[in-house]
Amino acid sequence: MRIARVVGSAVSTIKADQLRGAKLLIVRPASVADELTGEPFVAVDSVGAGEGELVLVSEGSAGRVTDLTADAPVDAVIMAILDSLEVAGQTTFRKG
Amino acid sequence: MRIARVVGSAVSTIKADQLRGAKLLIVRPASVADELTGEPFVAVDSVGAGEGELVLVSEGSAGRVTDLTADAPVDAVIMAILDSLEVAGQTTFRKG
Amino acid sequence: MRIARVVGSAVSTIKADQLRGAKLLIVRPASVADELTGEPFVAVDSVGAGEGELVLVSEGSAGRVTDLTADAPVDAVIMAILDSLEVAGQTTFRKG
Amino acid sequence: MRIARVVGSAVSTIKADQLRGAKLLIVRPASVADELTGEPFVAVDSVGAGEGELVLVSEGSAGRVTDLTADAPVDAVIMAILDSLEVAGQTTFRKG
Amino acid sequence: MRIARVVGSAVSTIKADQLRGAKLLIVRPASVADELTGEPFVAVDSVGAGEGELVLVSEGSAGRVTDLTADAPVDAVIMAILDSLEVAGQTTFRKG
C-alpha cells in the first residue's frame, strides 16, 4: 500500500452509478515522514479520512474489496488512517 | 483514479467483439489545475465524456466493471466527469 | 489501453500449454502520431495484427479476456487495430 | 516479486475491518545484494517477517491470496523470507 | 509480457505454503537483443527455465494462471522460453 496524504477532494455529478455516495479524495504519495513525494491522484475513502491525514491507499482490484466499492469501477481506495510510522526504531510520523 | 483530460478519439474497425459500440477516447494525465502532465493513452468512455473535459480514469481490472465493458479486454475506463477539484481549501479546477 | 506499433515477433517452443497457437508479437509504445516512444514488450495478438500496424494493447488481467487467452498466463493482448487517431480536431494518424 | 528489506512498521487504528490483527510492515525495494534501491511502501506480513530481513513482496491481487488477507483491500503482501540469493554463480546475499 | 533474462535464483525456507516446490528465479528485463535493461526481480518458473536463458515473464494476476501457482500469492511467472526474436525482418536474438 502506498503511504499518502489527503490533500483535497473531487466533485463529480456524472459518474458510474456505483459511486453514488462515495467520497472522492485527492491524495498525494508521501514519505514515512509525511513529506509529499508524488503527484496527486484520486481515491475512494472507505474509512472516514479527512484532509491532512496520512493514510494508506490500496490500488488495483483491491480498490473494490470494500462494501462501499464492491463492483464499482474503482482502482484506488483509502483503507487505513495512519496513527504512526516507525523506521529503524525511530518514530518518523505520529498523528497530530 | 487518474485525473485526465479528454484530448481526442480513436477509430478502430478490427477490434475485440465486446468493444462494438464502445467509444474509445484519447486521454492525457492532468494536474489538479487541468494542466497536461503525461503521455496520451486510450480509455473506454462509460459516462458520455467529451473532448476537453477533465475526467477520472480507472485502470486495470476496474476497466471491466461497467455494463459497457463487462468481459471486454479493456484496461482503462472513464468513469466520472469532474465538476470541480479542491486542494487545501482552494478550488483548483471548476468545469467551464 | 496503450497505443503501440507492432515491430516484430517472438518464437517460443517451450511455453505454457494455453499459448499453443497464439501469435506472440513484439510491440513498442507509440505516440498519437505513430512515433515510437517506449521499450519493446510482447503481447498476444487477438485480432490478426501485422508488423507495422498501430494497435491498442490491453494489459493486466484484461489480457485474459479473449477466447484465445482465457486461462492463459498472459498479461498483454492486442485487442484493436487502429484506423485513425484524432487529437484536438486534427487527424494525427491514419492507417496507410 | 520484488526483493525488499523490512525497515519498519505502521500503526493504524482506523482501518478496513479485514485488517484487524494484520501486521503492517514498511518495506523498501532492495538489490540482490541487499542495498536499498527504492522508496518505502507498506505490505501486510504473512510469514512472520521482522525488521532488517530481506523478503519477497507480491503486489496487486496476489496480496489477497493468503488466509490472512483474503477479501481484504490489500495490494502488497510479504510472502517469503529470503535465505540467500545467487546471481551468475555468486552468492550475493545470505541471511545473517 | 516482459522479455527478461534469467540471471540467478532465490532460496527461501519460510514462505507461503502454496510455494512449496516452486522454483524462484531472479530475472532482469532485457532488450530484444538480450541486453540487460532493468533491475532484477523474482519470478516463479513454470517452464523449466535455466540461468542465462531469455524468457517471457507475465506479471500481475497472470502469475497465478498456472497449475504450479494457482492460488499462490505470486505476481510474476516465467511462462515461455524464447527461441528467437525478430524485429523489422532481422533476427535480433537466437537461442545459442
PDB file of all heavy atoms in Angstrom, chain A residues 1 3 32 47 56 58-59 61-62 65 79-89, chain D residues 7-16 18-19 41-42 51 61 64 71 73-75:
ATOM      1  N   MET A   1       0.843  -1.189   0.000  1.00  0.00           N
ATOM      2  CA  MET A   1       0.000   0.000   0.000  1.00  0.00           C
ATOM      3  C   MET A   1       0.880   1.241   0.000  1.00  0.00           C
ATOM      4  O   MET A   1       1.959   1.241   0.605  1.00  0.00           O
ATOM      5  CB  MET A   1      -0.871  -0.018   1.253  1.00  0.00           C
ATOM      6  CG  MET A   1      -2.044  -0.978   1.163  1.00  0.00           C
ATOM      7  SD  MET A   1      -1.602  -2.755   1.235  1.00  0.00           S
ATOM      8  CE  MET A   1      -1.167  -2.941   2.954  1.00  0.00           C
ATOM      9  N   ILE A   3       1.828   4.966   1.065  1.00  0.00           N
ATOM     10  CA  ILE A   3       1.621   5.996   2.064  1.00  0.00           C
ATOM     11  C   ILE A   3       1.273   7.278   1.314  1.00  0.00           C
ATOM     12  O   ILE A   3       1.974   7.656   0.369  1.00  0.00           O
ATOM     13  CB  ILE A   3       2.908   6.193   2.902  1.00  0.00           C
ATOM     14  CG1 ILE A   3       3.294   4.871   3.584  1.00  0.00           C
ATOM     15  CG2 ILE A   3       2.737   7.321   3.902  1.00  0.00           C
ATOM     16  CD1 ILE A   3       4.721   4.863   4.133  1.00  0.00           C
ATOM     17  N   VAL A  32       7.744   8.441   4.668  1.00  0.00           N
ATOM     18  CA  VAL A  32       7.447   7.972   6.022  1.00  0.00           C
ATOM     19  C   VAL A  32       7.488   9.118   7.028  1.00  0.00           C
ATOM     20  O   VAL A  32       7.051   8.966   8.175  1.00  0.00           O
ATOM     21  CB  VAL A  32       8.439   6.871   6.474  1.00  0.00           C
ATOM     22  CG1 VAL A  32       8.223   5.595   5.682  1.00  0.00           C
ATOM     23  CG2 VAL A  32       9.883   7.346   6.399  1.00  0.00           C
ATOM     24  N   VAL A  47     -12.785   4.833   4.997  1.00  0.00           N
ATOM     25  CA  VAL A  47     -12.547   4.840   6.447  1.00  0.00           C
ATOM     26  C   VAL A  47     -12.808   6.197   7.116  1.00  0.00           C
ATOM     27  O   VAL A  47     -12.440   6.385   8.279  1.00  0.00           O
ATOM     28  CB  VAL A  47     -11.092   4.400   6.769  1.00  0.00           C
ATOM     29  CG1 VAL A  47     -10.922   2.910   6.538  1.00  0.00           C
ATOM     30  CG2 VAL A  47     -10.067   5.191   5.960  1.00  0.00           C
ATOM     31  N   LEU A  56      -3.183   5.043   4.168  1.00  0.00           N
ATOM     32  CA  LEU A  56      -2.711   4.018   3.239  1.00  0.00           C
ATOM     33  C   LEU A  56      -3.715   3.874   2.107  1.00  0.00           C
ATOM     34  O   LEU A  56      -4.929   3.849   2.356  1.00  0.00           O
ATOM     35  CB  LEU A  56      -2.550   2.663   3.937  1.00  0.00           C
ATOM     36  CG  LEU A  56      -1.440   2.557   4.984  1.00  0.00           C
ATOM     37  CD1 LEU A  56      -1.402   1.139   5.555  1.00  0.00           C
ATOM     38  CD2 LEU A  56      -0.083   2.926   4.388  1.00  0.00           C
ATOM     39  N   SER A  58      -4.750   1.456  -1.140  1.00  0.00           N
ATOM     40  CA  SER A  58      -4.583   0.210  -1.896  1.00  0.00           C
ATOM     41  C   SER A  58      -5.022   0.448  -3.331  1.00  0.00           C
ATOM     42  O   SER A  58      -6.074   1.050  -3.568  1.00  0.00           O
ATOM     43  CB  SER A  58      -5.424  -0.918  -1.293  1.00  0.00           C
ATOM     44  OG  SER A  58      -4.698  -1.633  -0.322  1.00  0.00           O
ATOM     45  N   GLU A  59      -4.239  -0.049  -4.265  1.00  0.00           N
ATOM     46  CA  GLU A  59      -4.539   0.189  -5.670  1.00  0.00           C
ATOM     47  C   GLU A  59      -4.873  -1.110  -6.395  1.00  0.00           C
ATOM     48  O   GLU A  59      -4.647  -2.196  -5.907  1.00  0.00           O
ATOM     49  CB  GLU A  59      -3.348   0.884  -6.321  1.00  0.00           C
ATOM     50  CG  GLU A  59      -3.122   2.268  -5.702  1.00  0.00           C
ATOM     51  CD  GLU A  59      -1.889   2.959  -6.230  1.00  0.00           C
ATOM     52  OE1 GLU A  59      -2.000   3.644  -7.242  1.00  0.00           O
ATOM     53  OE2 GLU A  59      -0.820   2.802  -5.614  1.00  0.00           O
ATOM     54  N   SER A  61      -7.244  -4.003  -8.145  1.00  0.00           N
ATOM     55  CA  SER A  61      -8.516  -4.643  -7.814  1.00  0.00           C
ATOM     56  C   SER A  61      -8.814  -4.556  -6.323  1.00  0.00           C
ATOM     57  O   SER A  61      -9.969  -4.686  -5.911  1.00  0.00           O
ATOM     58  CB  SER A  61      -8.519  -6.093  -8.285  1.00  0.00           C
ATOM     59  OG  SER A  61      -7.411  -6.798  -7.757  1.00  0.00           O
ATOM     60  N   ALA A  62      -7.795  -4.325  -5.497  1.00  0.00           N
ATOM     61  CA  ALA A  62      -8.015  -4.130  -4.062  1.00  0.00           C
ATOM     62  C   ALA A  62      -8.991  -2.986  -3.799  1.00  0.00           C
ATOM     63  O   ALA A  62      -9.687  -2.960  -2.788  1.00  0.00           O
ATOM     64  CB  ALA A  62      -6.695  -3.860  -3.351  1.00  0.00           C
ATOM     65  N   VAL A  65     -12.536  -4.113  -2.916  1.00  0.00           N
ATOM     66  CA  VAL A  65     -12.781  -5.047  -1.818  1.00  0.00           C
ATOM     67  C   VAL A  65     -13.235  -4.292  -0.573  1.00  0.00           C
ATOM     68  O   VAL A  65     -12.679  -4.440   0.512  1.00  0.00           O
ATOM     69  CB  VAL A  65     -11.537  -5.911  -1.542  1.00  0.00           C
ATOM     70  CG1 VAL A  65     -11.882  -7.039  -0.598  1.00  0.00           C
ATOM     71  CG2 VAL A  65     -10.986  -6.493  -2.834  1.00  0.00           C
ATOM     72  N   MET A  79      -7.802   2.760   2.777  1.00  0.00           N
ATOM     73  CA  MET A  79      -8.299   1.680   3.627  1.00  0.00           C
ATOM     74  C   MET A  79      -7.709   1.715   5.032  1.00  0.00           C
ATOM     75  O   MET A  79      -8.004   0.840   5.841  1.00  0.00           O
ATOM     76  CB  MET A  79      -8.101   0.316   2.974  1.00  0.00           C
ATOM     77  CG  MET A  79      -6.903   0.140   2.080  1.00  0.00           C
ATOM     78  SD  MET A  79      -5.319   0.442   2.924  1.00  0.00           S
ATOM     79  CE  MET A  79      -5.092  -1.164   3.708  1.00  0.00           C
ATOM     80  N   ALA A  80      -6.922   2.736   5.344  1.00  0.00           N
ATOM     81  CA  ALA A  80      -6.389   2.873   6.708  1.00  0.00           C
ATOM     82  C   ALA A  80      -5.944   4.316   6.936  1.00  0.00           C
ATOM     83  O   ALA A  80      -5.421   4.957   6.022  1.00  0.00           O
ATOM     84  CB  ALA A  80      -5.200   1.934   6.927  1.00  0.00           C
ATOM     85  N   ILE A  81      -6.201   4.808   8.147  1.00  0.00           N
ATOM     86  CA  ILE A  81      -5.664   6.102   8.573  1.00  0.00           C
ATOM     87  C   ILE A  81      -4.482   5.804   9.476  1.00  0.00           C
ATOM     88  O   ILE A  81      -4.598   5.006  10.415  1.00  0.00           O
ATOM     89  CB  ILE A  81      -6.734   6.923   9.333  1.00  0.00           C
ATOM     90  CG1 ILE A  81      -7.929   7.203   8.413  1.00  0.00           C
ATOM     91  CG2 ILE A  81      -6.141   8.229   9.865  1.00  0.00           C
ATOM     92  CD1 ILE A  81      -9.121   7.852   9.119  1.00  0.00           C
ATOM     93  N   LEU A  82      -3.342   6.397   9.179  1.00  0.00           N
ATOM     94  CA  LEU A  82      -2.132   6.068   9.932  1.00  0.00           C
ATOM     95  C   LEU A  82      -2.073   6.836  11.255  1.00  0.00           C
ATOM     96  O   LEU A  82      -2.286   8.049  11.297  1.00  0.00           O
ATOM     97  CB  LEU A  82      -0.896   6.378   9.090  1.00  0.00           C
ATOM     98  CG  LEU A  82      -0.700   5.416   7.911  1.00  0.00           C
ATOM     99  CD1 LEU A  82       0.343   5.945   6.940  1.00  0.00           C
ATOM    100  CD2 LEU A  82      -0.303   4.025   8.405  1.00  0.00           C
ATOM    101  N   ASP A  83      -1.754   6.107  12.334  1.00  0.00           N
ATOM    102  CA  ASP A  83      -1.502   6.727  13.637  1.00  0.00           C
ATOM    103  C   ASP A  83      -0.026   7.081  13.772  1.00  0.00           C
ATOM    104  O   ASP A  83       0.324   8.146  14.256  1.00  0.00           O
ATOM    105  CB  ASP A  83      -1.882   5.763  14.771  1.00  0.00           C
ATOM    106  CG  ASP A  83      -3.360   5.432  14.771  1.00  0.00           C
ATOM    107  OD1 ASP A  83      -4.166   6.321  14.413  1.00  0.00           O
ATOM    108  OD2 ASP A  83      -3.702   4.286  15.091  1.00  0.00           O
ATOM    109  N   SER A  84       0.822   6.133  13.356  1.00  0.00           N
ATOM    110  CA  SER A  84       2.263   6.383  13.473  1.00  0.00           C
ATOM    111  C   SER A  84       3.026   5.451  12.551  1.00  0.00           C
ATOM    112  O   SER A  84       2.530   4.399  12.138  1.00  0.00           O
ATOM    113  CB  SER A  84       2.726   6.176  14.914  1.00  0.00           C
ATOM    114  OG  SER A  84       2.539   4.824  15.296  1.00  0.00           O
ATOM    115  N   LEU A  85       4.240   5.881  12.221  1.00  0.00           N
ATOM    116  CA  LEU A  85       5.161   5.079  11.418  1.00  0.00           C
ATOM    117  C   LEU A  85       6.491   5.041  12.140  1.00  0.00           C
ATOM    118  O   LEU A  85       6.925   6.052  12.710  1.00  0.00           O
ATOM    119  CB  LEU A  85       5.357   5.708  10.026  1.00  0.00           C
ATOM    120  CG  LEU A  85       4.123   5.759   9.126  1.00  0.00           C
ATOM    121  CD1 LEU A  85       4.425   6.591   7.882  1.00  0.00           C
ATOM    122  CD2 LEU A  85       3.685   4.353   8.729  1.00  0.00           C
ATOM    123  N   GLU A  86       7.129   3.887  12.125  1.00  0.00           N
ATOM    124  CA  GLU A  86       8.420   3.737  12.786  1.00  0.00           C
ATOM    125  C   GLU A  86       9.392   3.078  11.824  1.00  0.00           C
ATOM    126  O   GLU A  86       9.093   2.044  11.236  1.00  0.00           O
ATOM    127  CB  GLU A  86       8.247   2.879  14.043  1.00  0.00           C
ATOM    128  CG  GLU A  86       9.499   2.797  14.889  1.00  0.00           C
ATOM    129  CD  GLU A  86       9.293   1.966  16.159  1.00  0.00           C
ATOM    130  OE1 GLU A  86       8.355   2.262  16.912  1.00  0.00           O
ATOM    131  OE2 GLU A  86      10.065   1.010  16.356  1.00  0.00           O
ATOM    132  N   VAL A  87      10.555   3.693  11.646  1.00  0.00           N
ATOM    133  CA  VAL A  87      11.590   3.145  10.764  1.00  0.00           C
ATOM    134  C   VAL A  87      12.895   3.053  11.551  1.00  0.00           C
ATOM    135  O   VAL A  87      13.328   4.039  12.162  1.00  0.00           O
ATOM    136  CB  VAL A  87      11.782   4.030   9.514  1.00  0.00           C
ATOM    137  CG1 VAL A  87      12.975   3.539   8.678  1.00  0.00           C
ATOM    138  CG2 VAL A  87      10.521   4.050   8.669  1.00  0.00           C
ATOM    139  N   ALA A  88      13.499   1.882  11.554  1.00  0.00           N
ATOM    140  CA  ALA A  88      14.771   1.670  12.240  1.00  0.00           C
ATOM    141  C   ALA A  88      14.707   2.124  13.698  1.00  0.00           C
ATOM    142  O   ALA A  88      15.642   2.749  14.216  1.00  0.00           O
ATOM    143  CB  ALA A  88      15.911   2.383  11.505  1.00  0.00           C
ATOM    144  N   GLY A  89      13.574   1.830  14.351  1.00  0.00           N
ATOM    145  CA  GLY A  89      13.459   2.138  15.774  1.00  0.00           C
ATOM    146  C   GLY A  89      13.107   3.582  16.085  1.00  0.00           C
ATOM    147  O   GLY A  89      12.908   3.942  17.254  1.00  0.00           O
TER     148      GLY A  89
ATOM    149  N   VAL D   7      11.975  -2.402   6.847  1.00  0.00           N
ATOM    150  CA  VAL D   7      12.676  -1.314   7.533  1.00  0.00           C
ATOM    151  C   VAL D   7      11.883  -0.737   8.703  1.00  0.00           C
ATOM    152  O   VAL D   7      12.410   0.064   9.469  1.00  0.00           O
ATOM    153  CB  VAL D   7      13.040  -0.167   6.559  1.00  0.00           C
ATOM    154  CG1 VAL D   7      13.988  -0.664   5.465  1.00  0.00           C
ATOM    155  CG2 VAL D   7      11.788   0.475   5.955  1.00  0.00           C
ATOM    156  N   GLY D   8      10.632  -1.108   8.854  1.00  0.00           N
ATOM    157  CA  GLY D   8       9.864  -0.541   9.946  1.00  0.00           C
ATOM    158  C   GLY D   8       8.440  -1.053   9.971  1.00  0.00           C
ATOM    159  O   GLY D   8       8.136  -2.085   9.368  1.00  0.00           O
ATOM    160  N   SER D   9       7.581  -0.321  10.676  1.00  0.00           N
ATOM    161  CA  SER D   9       6.198  -0.771  10.798  1.00  0.00           C
ATOM    162  C   SER D   9       5.252   0.417  10.881  1.00  0.00           C
ATOM    163  O   SER D   9       5.658   1.535  11.204  1.00  0.00           O
ATOM    164  CB  SER D   9       6.038  -1.651  12.042  1.00  0.00           C
ATOM    165  OG  SER D   9       6.439  -0.920  13.189  1.00  0.00           O
ATOM    166  N   ALA D  10       3.992   0.132  10.583  1.00  0.00           N
ATOM    167  CA  ALA D  10       2.947   1.157  10.592  1.00  0.00           C
ATOM    168  C   ALA D  10       1.887   0.772  11.602  1.00  0.00           C
ATOM    169  O   ALA D  10       1.560  -0.407  11.752  1.00  0.00           O
ATOM    170  CB  ALA D  10       2.324   1.277   9.205  1.00  0.00           C
ATOM    171  N   VAL D  11       1.348   1.775  12.301  1.00  0.00           N
ATOM    172  CA  VAL D  11       0.254   1.544  13.241  1.00  0.00           C
ATOM    173  C   VAL D  11      -0.969   2.309  12.751  1.00  0.00           C
ATOM    174  O   VAL D  11      -0.890   3.493  12.427  1.00  0.00           O
ATOM    175  CB  VAL D  11       0.623   2.015  14.662  1.00  0.00           C
ATOM    176  CG1 VAL D  11      -0.576   1.890  15.611  1.00  0.00           C
ATOM    177  CG2 VAL D  11       1.811   1.215  15.181  1.00  0.00           C
ATOM    178  N   SER D  12      -2.111   1.595  12.694  1.00  0.00           N
ATOM    179  CA  SER D  12      -3.358   2.215  12.263  1.00  0.00           C
ATOM    180  C   SER D  12      -4.504   1.650  13.074  1.00  0.00           C
ATOM    181  O   SER D  12      -4.695   0.435  13.132  1.00  0.00           O
ATOM    182  CB  SER D  12      -3.592   1.919  10.776  1.00  0.00           C
ATOM    183  OG  SER D  12      -4.915   2.258  10.415  1.00  0.00           O
ATOM    184  N   THR D  13      -5.247   2.527  13.726  1.00  0.00           N
ATOM    185  CA  THR D  13      -6.415   2.090  14.495  1.00  0.00           C
ATOM    186  C   THR D  13      -7.654   2.034  13.604  1.00  0.00           C
ATOM    187  O   THR D  13      -8.439   1.084  13.675  1.00  0.00           O
ATOM    188  CB  THR D  13      -6.688   3.075  15.655  1.00  0.00           C
ATOM    189  OG1 THR D  13      -5.472   3.272  16.371  1.00  0.00           O
ATOM    190  CG2 THR D  13      -7.756   2.529  16.597  1.00  0.00           C
ATOM    191  N   ILE D  14      -7.804   3.054  12.788  1.00  0.00           N
ATOM    192  CA  ILE D  14      -8.973   3.136  11.909  1.00  0.00           C
ATOM    193  C   ILE D  14      -8.581   2.568  10.555  1.00  0.00           C
ATOM    194  O   ILE D  14      -7.830   3.168   9.787  1.00  0.00           O
ATOM    195  CB  ILE D  14      -9.445   4.604  11.766  1.00  0.00           C
ATOM    196  CG1 ILE D  14      -9.783   5.169  13.136  1.00  0.00           C
ATOM    197  CG2 ILE D  14     -10.637   4.688  10.819  1.00  0.00           C
ATOM    198  CD1 ILE D  14     -10.133   6.647  13.139  1.00  0.00           C
ATOM    199  N   LYS D  15      -9.081   1.365  10.270  1.00  0.00           N
ATOM    200  CA  LYS D  15      -8.689   0.692   9.028  1.00  0.00           C
ATOM    201  C   LYS D  15      -9.780  -0.296   8.637  1.00  0.00           C
ATOM    202  O   LYS D  15     -10.715  -0.545   9.402  1.00  0.00           O
ATOM    203  CB  LYS D  15      -7.361  -0.029   9.228  1.00  0.00           C
ATOM    204  CG  LYS D  15      -7.384  -1.072  10.322  1.00  0.00           C
ATOM    205  CD  LYS D  15      -5.998  -1.649  10.574  1.00  0.00           C
ATOM    206  CE  LYS D  15      -6.003  -2.437  11.879  1.00  0.00           C
ATOM    207  NZ  LYS D  15      -4.678  -2.842  12.308  1.00  0.00           N
ATOM    208  N   ALA D  16      -9.655  -0.834   7.448  1.00  0.00           N
ATOM    209  CA  ALA D  16     -10.610  -1.828   6.988  1.00  0.00           C
ATOM    210  C   ALA D  16     -10.712  -2.961   8.004  1.00  0.00           C
ATOM    211  O   ALA D  16      -9.693  -3.451   8.504  1.00  0.00           O
ATOM    212  CB  ALA D  16     -10.173  -2.378   5.634  1.00  0.00           C
ATOM    213  N   GLN D  18     -11.198  -6.023   7.746  1.00  0.00           N
ATOM    214  CA  GLN D  18     -10.496  -7.263   7.391  1.00  0.00           C
ATOM    215  C   GLN D  18      -9.018  -7.232   7.796  1.00  0.00           C
ATOM    216  O   GLN D  18      -8.341  -8.249   7.739  1.00  0.00           O
ATOM    217  CB  GLN D  18     -10.569  -7.521   5.875  1.00  0.00           C
ATOM    218  CG  GLN D  18     -11.967  -7.531   5.300  1.00  0.00           C
ATOM    219  CD  GLN D  18     -12.325  -6.198   4.669  1.00  0.00           C
ATOM    220  OE1 GLN D  18     -12.023  -5.151   5.224  1.00  0.00           O
ATOM    221  NE2 GLN D  18     -12.987  -6.249   3.535  1.00  0.00           N
ATOM    222  N   LEU D  19      -8.521  -6.042   8.162  1.00  0.00           N
ATOM    223  CA  LEU D  19      -7.106  -5.938   8.526  1.00  0.00           C
ATOM    224  C   LEU D  19      -6.856  -6.060  10.015  1.00  0.00           C
ATOM    225  O   LEU D  19      -5.712  -5.981  10.465  1.00  0.00           O
ATOM    226  CB  LEU D  19      -6.533  -4.622   8.005  1.00  0.00           C
ATOM    227  CG  LEU D  19      -6.349  -4.588   6.492  1.00  0.00           C
ATOM    228  CD1 LEU D  19      -5.932  -3.210   6.037  1.00  0.00           C
ATOM    229  CD2 LEU D  19      -5.288  -5.606   6.089  1.00  0.00           C
ATOM    230  N   PHE D  41       7.204   1.506   1.013  1.00  0.00           N
ATOM    231  CA  PHE D  41       5.750   1.316   0.936  1.00  0.00           C
ATOM    232  C   PHE D  41       5.362   0.323   2.020  1.00  0.00           C
ATOM    233  O   PHE D  41       6.220  -0.140   2.774  1.00  0.00           O
ATOM    234  CB  PHE D  41       5.306   0.895  -0.475  1.00  0.00           C
ATOM    235  CG  PHE D  41       5.853  -0.406  -0.979  1.00  0.00           C
ATOM    236  CD1 PHE D  41       5.099  -1.572  -0.926  1.00  0.00           C
ATOM    237  CD2 PHE D  41       7.129  -0.475  -1.531  1.00  0.00           C
ATOM    238  CE1 PHE D  41       5.592  -2.778  -1.403  1.00  0.00           C
ATOM    239  CE2 PHE D  41       7.644  -1.673  -2.005  1.00  0.00           C
ATOM    240  CZ  PHE D  41       6.871  -2.829  -1.939  1.00  0.00           C
ATOM    241  N   VAL D  42       4.097   0.033   2.132  1.00  0.00           N
ATOM    242  CA  VAL D  42       3.610  -0.802   3.231  1.00  0.00           C
ATOM    243  C   VAL D  42       3.056  -2.109   2.684  1.00  0.00           C
ATOM    244  O   VAL D  42       2.323  -2.119   1.694  1.00  0.00           O
ATOM    245  CB  VAL D  42       2.533  -0.047   4.043  1.00  0.00           C
ATOM    246  CG1 VAL D  42       1.893  -0.962   5.088  1.00  0.00           C
ATOM    247  CG2 VAL D  42       3.159   1.177   4.724  1.00  0.00           C
ATOM    248  N   GLU D  51      12.040  -6.840  11.233  1.00  0.00           N
ATOM    249  CA  GLU D  51      12.831  -5.723  10.723  1.00  0.00           C
ATOM    250  C   GLU D  51      14.246  -6.171  10.358  1.00  0.00           C
ATOM    251  O   GLU D  51      14.867  -6.945  11.093  1.00  0.00           O
ATOM    252  CB  GLU D  51      12.870  -4.604  11.767  1.00  0.00           C
ATOM    253  CG  GLU D  51      13.349  -3.314  11.159  1.00  0.00           C
ATOM    254  CD  GLU D  51      13.132  -2.124  12.076  1.00  0.00           C
ATOM    255  OE1 GLU D  51      12.079  -2.060  12.741  1.00  0.00           O
ATOM    256  OE2 GLU D  51      14.020  -1.266  12.115  1.00  0.00           O
ATOM    257  N   SER D  61      -3.381  -8.145  -7.001  1.00  0.00           N
ATOM    258  CA  SER D  61      -4.369  -9.053  -6.433  1.00  0.00           C
ATOM    259  C   SER D  61      -3.705 -10.205  -5.686  1.00  0.00           C
ATOM    260  O   SER D  61      -4.340 -10.839  -4.839  1.00  0.00           O
ATOM    261  CB  SER D  61      -5.302  -9.576  -7.516  1.00  0.00           C
ATOM    262  OG  SER D  61      -4.566 -10.175  -8.570  1.00  0.00           O
ATOM    263  N   ARG D  64      -3.999 -10.640  -1.913  1.00  0.00           N
ATOM    264  CA  ARG D  64      -5.186 -11.184  -1.221  1.00  0.00           C
ATOM    265  C   ARG D  64      -5.217 -12.701  -1.212  1.00  0.00           C
ATOM    266  O   ARG D  64      -6.183 -13.295  -0.722  1.00  0.00           O
ATOM    267  CB  ARG D  64      -6.463 -10.650  -1.886  1.00  0.00           C
ATOM    268  CG  ARG D  64      -6.609  -9.150  -1.737  1.00  0.00           C
ATOM    269  CD  ARG D  64      -8.002  -8.682  -2.031  1.00  0.00           C
ATOM    270  NE  ARG D  64      -8.430  -8.979  -3.387  1.00  0.00           N
ATOM    271  CZ  ARG D  64      -8.099  -8.282  -4.468  1.00  0.00           C
ATOM    272  NH1 ARG D  64      -7.315  -7.249  -4.365  1.00  0.00           N
ATOM    273  NH2 ARG D  64      -8.552  -8.624  -5.643  1.00  0.00           N
ATOM    274  N   ASP D  71     -10.019 -11.340   0.833  1.00  0.00           N
ATOM    275  CA  ASP D  71     -11.123 -10.366   0.883  1.00  0.00           C
ATOM    276  C   ASP D  71     -10.779  -9.098   1.645  1.00  0.00           C
ATOM    277  O   ASP D  71     -11.678  -8.372   2.064  1.00  0.00           O
ATOM    278  CB  ASP D  71     -12.384 -11.005   1.486  1.00  0.00           C
ATOM    279  CG  ASP D  71     -12.788 -12.250   0.721  1.00  0.00           C
ATOM    280  OD1 ASP D  71     -12.834 -12.196  -0.507  1.00  0.00           O
ATOM    281  OD2 ASP D  71     -13.036 -13.279   1.363  1.00  0.00           O
ATOM    282  N   PRO D  73      -8.841  -5.291   1.481  1.00  0.00           N
ATOM    283  CA  PRO D  73      -8.396  -4.334   0.467  1.00  0.00           C
ATOM    284  C   PRO D  73      -6.890  -4.094   0.550  1.00  0.00           C
ATOM    285  O   PRO D  73      -6.438  -3.029   0.972  1.00  0.00           O
ATOM    286  CB  PRO D  73      -9.201  -3.070   0.797  1.00  0.00           C
ATOM    287  CG  PRO D  73      -9.487  -3.170   2.258  1.00  0.00           C
ATOM    288  CD  PRO D  73      -9.589  -4.644   2.570  1.00  0.00           C
ATOM    289  N   VAL D  74      -6.144  -5.064   0.125  1.00  0.00           N
ATOM    290  CA  VAL D  74      -4.698  -5.110   0.299  1.00  0.00           C
ATOM    291  C   VAL D  74      -4.045  -5.323  -1.066  1.00  0.00           C
ATOM    292  O   VAL D  74      -4.527  -6.131  -1.846  1.00  0.00           O
ATOM    293  CB  VAL D  74      -4.355  -6.282   1.249  1.00  0.00           C
ATOM    294  CG1 VAL D  74      -2.922  -6.700   1.116  1.00  0.00           C
ATOM    295  CG2 VAL D  74      -4.692  -5.911   2.680  1.00  0.00           C
ATOM    296  N   ASP D  75      -2.972  -4.596  -1.361  1.00  0.00           N
ATOM    297  CA  ASP D  75      -2.317  -4.761  -2.665  1.00  0.00           C
ATOM    298  C   ASP D  75      -0.830  -5.123  -2.561  1.00  0.00           C
ATOM    299  O   ASP D  75      -0.117  -5.038  -3.570  1.00  0.00           O
ATOM    300  CB  ASP D  75      -2.513  -3.520  -3.541  1.00  0.00           C
ATOM    301  CG  ASP D  75      -1.808  -2.286  -2.987  1.00  0.00           C
ATOM    302  OD1 ASP D  75      -1.144  -2.370  -1.946  1.00  0.00           O
ATOM    303  OD2 ASP D  75      -1.943  -1.218  -3.608  1.00  0.00           O
TER     304      ASP D  75
END
